[in-house]
Amino acid sequence: MQKADNMKMTRTSDELFKHAVELFFGMNPIEPWWFLVAFYFAKKRRLSIVENDGFISKSTIAYMDKDYAQITFDKEHFDDWEERGVKYLALLVKDVAKDSIEENIIFSLASWLRIKMHGASMMNNVFKQKQWEPAFLFEVAHCLMEIPDDWYNEHFETKFEMIVERIISNEGQNVGGYIQPKELTQLMVKQLNYKEGSIYNPFTGLASLPIALTGEKCYAQEINPSIGMKAQLRLLAHGCSPDSIHLEDSLVDFKDADYIVCNPPFSLNIRNS
């Protein structure tokens, strides 16, 4: 694993970010949204790499034990672990409130880690299809943690959306379905011509409309819990409240509002019960 201290001496912020992206997506990761979770909390300065702690924490998003380190690191690095009594490393998100939306997002998008830590046999089948190298995850985290605040302040939202679009274009419905084109969202907001009153956004998906309506109260529904969690993460990344997302079936629990706006799920097979 390459040392972050060496990288920050020779790489600019853009190079650190590029390296993190190329390294992570080069693994064909089992959960590509992991990168966005790490990216968001790195910006918030809430990522922490700890030794021999955090193993079963709900805020753990990466883990590497001594057995893996022995086959991954050079002898000098592994001997250092031995000398200091390091049994494993954990990558944690700090200051996560119990039962908060942040905790639910982390737990949902890092559910693969819980499977691996508890030794479920199904993980063996997963690894036949996807790669996930713990040492690389820690290097990705090191890179993101080394990027300074001024870069995050200037580029974070743009880079975040760039990664969302990359994930959707590569994986499609397997990892979050469909992202509404920015131009269409802007047209919808313009046609809405919102002045005051309640806004209802059924079938919100990845929350493109609530993001565009920054500062306005919007009741948004998404039936798929995984997509709903990703929508909440996307709202957080744009400085919006994730509370607008409600995990509900818009067909069953349709709301009344002053403004109702959505992009209908055209591929949905609707049948009368």
Side-chain angles (χ1 to χ4, degrees), residues 86-266:
V86 178
K87 296 179 180 178
Y88 63 85
L89 295 182
L91 177 62
L92 307 178
V93 179
K94 298 183 292 185
D95 304 323
V96 179
K98 183 177 175 57
D99 298 325
S100 64
I101 288 176
E102 286 185 346
E103 184 182 71
N104 290 336
I105 290 171
I106 294 166
F107 191 74
S108 172
L109 298 184
S111 59
W112 62 271
L113 182 61
R114 244 96 358 222
I115 296 171
K116 183 175 187 296
M117 289 196 303
H118 291 292
S121 60
M122 66 174 289
M123 204 62 196
N124 294 329
N125 294 327
V126 172
F127 274 97
K128 290 178 182 177
Q129 302 298 325
K130 303 282 188 176
Q131 298 179 39
W132 199 282
E133 298 292 343
F136 290 172
L137 292 183
F138 281 89
E139 186 171 344
V140 168
H142 272 300
C143 289
L144 297 178
M145 293 163 69
E146 290 296 338
I147 296 174
D149 290 337
D150 57 354
W151 185 94
Y152 276 113
N153 293 336
E154 183 177 355
H155 300 291
F156 174 73
E157 290 186 20
T158 300
K159 298 296 186 183
F160 188 96
E161 287 302 305
M162 180 189 80
I163 299 301
V164 170
E165 292 173 6
R166 174 173 181 161
I167 293 171
I168 297 301
S169 64
N170 287 346
E171 299 287 344
Q173 294 186 355
N174 292 329
V175 294
Y178 163 80
I179 186 168
Q180 186 166 278
K182 185 177 180 180
E183 295 79 8
L184 177 58
T185 303
Q186 292 172 338
L187 177 62
M188 292 169 70
V189 171
K190 183 177 180 180
Q191 292 297 314
L192 184 65
N193 193 26
Y194 178 77
K195 301 298 183 183
E196 61 180 13
S198 57
I199 304 173
Y200 172 46
N201 176 215
F203 316 109
T204 193
L206 291 174
S208 294
L209 186 65
I211 290 170
L213 291 168
T214 301
E216 306 296 346
K217 189 173 182 180
C218 176
Y219 191 102
Q221 289 177 324
E222 173 52 47
I223 189 173
N224 186 314
S226 177
I227 295 177
M229 293 290 184
K230 293 164 185 173
Q232 290 175 324
L233 175 62
R234 197 169 171 225
L235 282 162
L236 286 169
H238 287 275
C240 307
S241 171
D243 295 333
S244 62
I245 304 296
H246 300 267
L247 300 179
E248 299 170 345
D249 185 347
S250 301
L251 295 176
V252 174
D253 192 16
F254 202 83
K255 305 295 183 182
D256 189 20
D258 298 308
Y259 299 86
I260 300 175
V261 56
C262 73
N263 186 354
F266 293 108

